[in-house]
Amino acid sequence: MLKFLAKRLTATVVVIGLISISVFLIFSYLPMDPAALTCGKACNPVVIAANRHRLGLDVSVPVQYGRFVKGLFVDRTWGEGAAKFSCPAPGFGYSFNRHECVTQLIKEAFPVTFSLAIGSFILWMLLGISFGIVAARKQGKWQDKAATAFVVAGVSLPVFVTALLTLLAASKLGLVNPIEFGRWVSPFTDPIGWLKTFYLPWIVLALFSSASYTRFTRSNVIETSSEDYIRTARAKGLSEKVILRKHTLRAALAPLLTLAGIDFAVLLGGAIFTETIFNLPGLGRLSINAVLTDYDLPVILATTMLAATLVVVMNLIVDVLYAYLDPRVRVG
Amino acid sequence: MKPFLEVKNLFVSFPTEDGVVRASDDISFSVSRGETLAVVGESGSGKSVTTLAVMGLHNRKRTNISGHAILNLPTGPVDTISAPEETVRKLRGKSMAMIFQDPMSALHPYYSIGNQITEAWSLYNDGSKADGTKRAIELLDLVGIPGAAKRVEEYPHQFSGGMRQRVMIAMALVNNPSLLIADEPTTALDVTIQSQILQLLRDMQKEFNMAVVLITHDLGVVAEVADRVCVMYAGKIVEQAKIDELYYRPDHPYTLGLLNSIPRVDRGGDQRLQAIPGQPPSLISLPQGCSFRPRCAHSKLVPNNRCATDVPELYEKTEAHGSRCHLTESQLVQIRTSAGGHS
């Protein structure tokens, strides 16, 4: 198990390194010049050159990358004299549009996205798995047909449609005031406020994702139910309840873990539509603003890398958990 | 003493979109404790369906079952076909147990074998997990798994095929069942392992004084272990006899065909194996008359084309030997003699 872990960890580090290089390269060769963009009103070539030097863009790309990596581990300083500023490690760079260290921006945005992700994840897993089990047990009955209708609706309605409709319905019903909607409140200082902020986006995201989990659970439960070892369990004299709980679900839901891990990681990288519509200051909105309005390269670089890293790390966690769940995967 | 299991006029059919599949058609047999009944037939002849019905393992909503499968328990007879599902469930594992063809897929891949055996034990026994594990080790030892105390924590994929079947047997025996149904227990195993498993089944039968129903398509297996044999074809029992009777005086052309298709060392290696021509009929649309007629070499001997019109009744020549065939005894003697070997 240790050997397996060491191997997977090494692979993870290598993959993250490769991701960071490719992301960095893509942004280095985009036909935009951050030095000109941050130039201001009285812009002339001298200022642009000075800016370029200040931003650290006047050196070769590999050196820029080297500095970026170094900045992850030690404090990094830009500019000289009075214009000098620095970001403490781990630093993902400095946003010249917002005049803040990128790490600080992410630190502020991450709890929002995490709150959104964890709530909707729990909700969609509960909904998806229980609908799926019911549909499988009542195969062909009205419960199954209702679940299928739910699946079709869930996967075919885009999040921005359900989000807007939900928001509209909730404000018509007087459940929320759209104007004051979307303030970040910490669950530790104001748990009720936190719930109020997040329950609608949770429902929206959960409706969308639980549809495919319903489908997946349903087919897995049906498939597992016809396995020989389920017949063995029945031949032993176990009750249908125990067979479902202990024998069928264990085997039927284990493959769901891979899907769930990746989906959760993707969600942690930011839910652009949901965050934008519900006005939540999370990672998704941070990155879409950086792209659309500010062209804030360091922020885009950081959020992209973060999202990719989350997926890779979650993959590792899923693999370890899977080995725990399925003894056949355990090695050495 | 009454036989432990009495199956009487058992019918099992499955309604499908293409029609009704008549998988078991008027099956009657019985088996006593200490006795082994072999049920022989090709794939799809209804062997497994019949025994699964006895175990109550068919989905009652999707299967039409009628007839009786009576277990003569010390507390009185119970008909597993008509008894409530919950009653039948509580007989499974305790009064009747079953082992299956492919021990790899019949064991849950995610649980250790100790866990799976203990689970069966704790259904009918009070006691701690440690007691269950102790019993599991005892059983694993009994079925000949070396290092049982250590291997009890291992998972099915860590065992070889033969060892896995031993695990299945240990699991089936953990509650001292009175009836053991073995559904092709050696089919998925290689030949050397096969005879070990058969030997083990025989030993276990003595040890537990069980009634054993052995489903197989291998007449070699039958000769090794069975006391009596039922030959099934297209959902019906076509011949039923004591083992010696069946081998030396087979009364049904199908049985004869099966016996002739066994390779024999005493006949010289250059002789071709005799196969029964054709395929077994579809259980949805059985031929009129005798189901075996299209493949039978001797149906022309029967006058008036009766084989094509009348379903032969199970004719009981003696109490212990019956067959479904229109041929007369003298015709059969002739056929047996000309086939050679079976006089």
Side-chain angles (χ1 to χ4, degrees), chain A residues 190-300:
Chain A
D190 181 7
I192 304 287
W194 181 73
L195 282 176
K196 273 188 174 165
T197 306
F198 282 106
Y199 79 97
L200 281 181
W202 283 345
I203 291 172
V204 167
L205 275 179
L207 281 181
F208 177 70
S209 300
S210 57
S212 48
Y213 282 77
T214 303
R215 198 85 209 142
F216 203 58
T217 306
R218 180 186 178 275
S219 59
N220 276 14
V221 168
I222 290 174
E223 202 185 300
T224 311
S225 299
S226 64
E227 290 281 354
D228 282 359
Y229 53 79
I230 300 300
R231 188 180 57 186
T232 306
R234 215 162 265 139
K236 276 192 218 177
L238 293 173
S239 69
E240 289 301 312
K241 231 199 273 172
V242 175
I243 292 172
L244 177 70
R245 263 205 315 254
K246 189 178 166 188
H247 292 256
T248 311
L249 288 186
R250 170 91 180 254
L253 297 185
L256 224 69
L257 185 73
T258 317
L259 200 65
I262 304 298
D263 279 353
F264 184 58
V266 168
L267 202 55
L268 277 181
I272 291 172
F273 284 127
T274 315
E275 286 177 18
T276 307
I277 290 170
F278 288 97
N279 200 25
L280 294 166
L283 286 174
R285 226 183 61 188
L286 182 69
S287 33
I288 199 69
N289 282 347
V291 172
L292 292 182
T293 53
D294 306 335
Y295 194 63
D296 204 342
L297 268 185
V299 171
I300 301 170

Side-chain angles (χ1 to χ4, degrees), chain A residues 64-321:
Chain A
Q64 286 181 40
Y65 180 71
R67 286 185 186 169
F68 171 76
V69 173
K70 198 179 156 203
L72 290 172
F73 300 103
V74 294
D75 299 358
R76 187 175 171 192
T77 310
W78 284 267
E80 288 112 14
K84 194 170 141 180
F85 51 87
S86 70
C87 287
F92 284 98
Y94 185 85
S95 164
F96 297 96
N97 298 74
R98 292 174 171 246
H99 301 288
E100 253 184 294
C101 294
V102 175
T103 309
Q104 184 57 32
L105 291 171
I106 286 174
K107 262 189 195 161
E108 283 162 16
F110 189 72
V112 179
T113 295
F114 185 79
S115 299
L116 180 66
I118 190 82
S120 54
F121 178 74
I122 291 171
L123 198 59
W124 98 48
M125 291 302 276
L126 284 176
L127 278 182
I129 291 173
S130 43
F131 283 9
I133 293 171
V134 170
R137 303 297 285 181
K138 304 276 178 189
Q139 206 181 337
K141 302 243 175 65
W142 69 266
Q143 293 95 329
D144 187 21
K145 285 172 187 147
T148 308
F150 168 74
V151 170
V152 172
V155 291
S156 48
L157 284 173
V159 166
F160 52 82
V161 174
T162 42
L164 285 173
L165 287 177
T166 314
L167 197 56
L168 186 69
S171 49
K172 285 267 190 232
L173 291 170
L175 292 173
V176 289
N177 181 352
I179 294 171
E180 64 178 25
F181 202 77
R183 277 169 313 162
W184 161 244
V185 274
S186 161
F188 301 109
T189 53
D190 181 7
I192 304 287
W194 181 73
L195 282 176
K196 273 188 174 165
T197 306
F198 282 106
Y199 79 97
L200 281 181
W202 283 345
I203 291 172
V204 167
L205 275 179
L207 281 181
F208 177 70
S209 300
S210 57
S212 48
Y213 282 77
T214 303
R215 198 85 209 142
F216 203 58
T217 306
R218 180 186 178 275
S219 59
N220 276 14
V221 168
I222 290 174
E223 202 185 300
T224 311
S225 299
S226 64
E227 290 281 354
D228 282 359
Y229 53 79
I230 300 300
R231 188 180 57 186
T232 306
R234 215 162 265 139
K236 276 192 218 177
L238 293 173
S239 69
E240 289 301 312
K241 231 199 273 172
V242 175
I243 292 172
L244 177 70
R245 263 205 315 254
K246 189 178 166 188
H247 292 256
T248 311
L249 288 186
R250 170 91 180 254
L253 297 185
L256 224 69
L257 185 73
T258 317
L259 200 65
I262 304 298
D263 279 353
F264 184 58
V266 168
L267 202 55
L268 277 181
I272 291 172
F273 284 127
T274 315
E275 286 177 18
T276 307
I277 290 170
F278 288 97
N279 200 25
L280 294 166
L283 286 174
R285 226 183 61 188
L286 182 69
S287 33
I288 199 69
N289 282 347
V291 172
L292 292 182
T293 53
D294 306 335
Y295 194 63
D296 204 342
L297 268 185
V299 171
I300 301 170
L301 185 66
T303 50
T304 313
M305 263 189 63
L306 183 68
T309 308
L310 281 169
V311 171
V312 175
V313 170
M314 195 54 89
N315 233 332
L316 174 69
I317 294 174
V318 163
D319 279 354
V320 173
L321 279 179

Side-chain angles (χ1 to χ4, degrees), chain B residues 56-341:
Chain B
L57 288 175
H58 287 297
N59 185 334
R60 285 191 182 181
K61 285 176 205 138
R62 272 180 256 160
T63 320
N64 298 326
I65 309 176
S66 68
H68 307 280
I70 294 156
L71 294 185
N72 287 308
L73 302 169
T75 51
V78 178
D79 184 351
T80 65
I81 304 299
S82 58
E85 285 199 312
E86 192 60 13
T87 311
V88 182
R89 169 172 87 74
K90 286 184 175 147
L91 294 172
R92 284 201 288 269
K94 186 166 176 60
S95 299
M96 50 182 181
M98 190 158 179
I99 56 176
F100 300 98
Q101 180 173 341
D102 182 0
M104 181 72 238
S105 58
L107 288 165
H108 201 299
Y110 288 7
Y111 294 104
S112 71
I113 59 155
N115 185 327
Q116 297 187 51
I117 297 173
T118 310
E119 186 184 36
W121 179 82
S122 59
L123 267 177
Y124 300 109
N125 296 280
D126 300 318
S128 65
K129 226 178 144 186
D131 295 334
T133 310
K134 221 174 95 188
R135 174 80 179 142
I137 294 169
E138 209 179 285
L139 258 298
L140 290 174
D141 210 38
L142 189 69
V143 298
I145 291 182
K150 248 176 82 182
R151 301 213 71 183
V152 72
E153 283 166 27
E154 291 183 10
Y155 292 85
H157 70 275
Q158 290 164 295
F159 288 80
S160 66
M163 284 296 153
R164 262 181 235 141
Q165 196 56 288
R166 285 172 195 266
V167 171
M168 277 300 289
I169 293 171
M171 192 159 80
L173 298 181
V174 73
N175 292 313
N176 308 322
S178 315
L179 167 67
L180 178 68
I181 296 173
D183 188 352
E184 309 220 12
T186 58
T187 306
L189 306 175
D190 63 59
V191 183
T192 46
I193 308 296
Q194 272 184 16
S195 65
Q196 289 174 17
I197 295 292
L198 290 174
Q199 182 61 46
L200 174 67
L201 278 174
R202 234 178 340 211
D203 294 345
M204 291 301 111
Q205 177 175 39
K206 277 199 198 103
E207 178 97 20
F208 291 87
N209 187 30
M210 289 181 296
V212 172
V213 176
L214 178 74
I215 301 175
T216 179
H217 59 250
D218 185 343
L219 280 169
V221 167
V222 173
E224 242 179 289
V225 291
D227 299 308
R228 284 188 302 121
V229 187
C230 286
V231 180
M232 283 188 76
Y233 185 78
K236 289 191 186 66
I237 292 181
V238 293
E239 183 160 10
Q240 204 174 129
K242 283 197 168 140
I243 179 83
D244 295 345
E245 276 277 312
L246 190 96
Y247 276 82
Y248 293 111
R249 277 177 296 281
D251 269 355
H252 198 282
Y254 178 60
T255 316
L256 204 71
L258 286 180
L259 290 170
N260 281 335
S261 65
I262 302 174
R264 287 173 55 154
V265 274
D266 58 346
R267 270 204 216 153
D270 55 341
Q271 225 168 1
R272 283 185 71 90
L273 275 181
Q274 294 184 24
I276 303 173
Q279 294 286 323
S282 153
L283 294 174
I284 294 177
S285 54
L286 286 175
Q288 277 259 310
C290 174
S291 306
F292 187 62
R293 185 192 56 82
R295 301 173 74 185
C296 184
H298 313 294
S299 64
K300 287 184 194 77
L301 298 175
V302 179
N304 301 332
N305 205 14
R306 272 180 69 211
C307 293
T309 51
D310 299 356
V311 179
E313 295 296 312
L314 192 67
Y315 164 71
E316 301 206 349
K317 187 163 59 177
T318 64
E319 203 188 331
H321 192 165
S323 104
R324 280 183 195 270
C325 185
H326 290 309
L327 291 168
T328 60
E329 179 64 23
S330 58
Q331 285 170 324
L332 283 165
V333 170
Q334 233 175 14
I335 293 166
R336 272 184 230 132
T337 330
S338 64

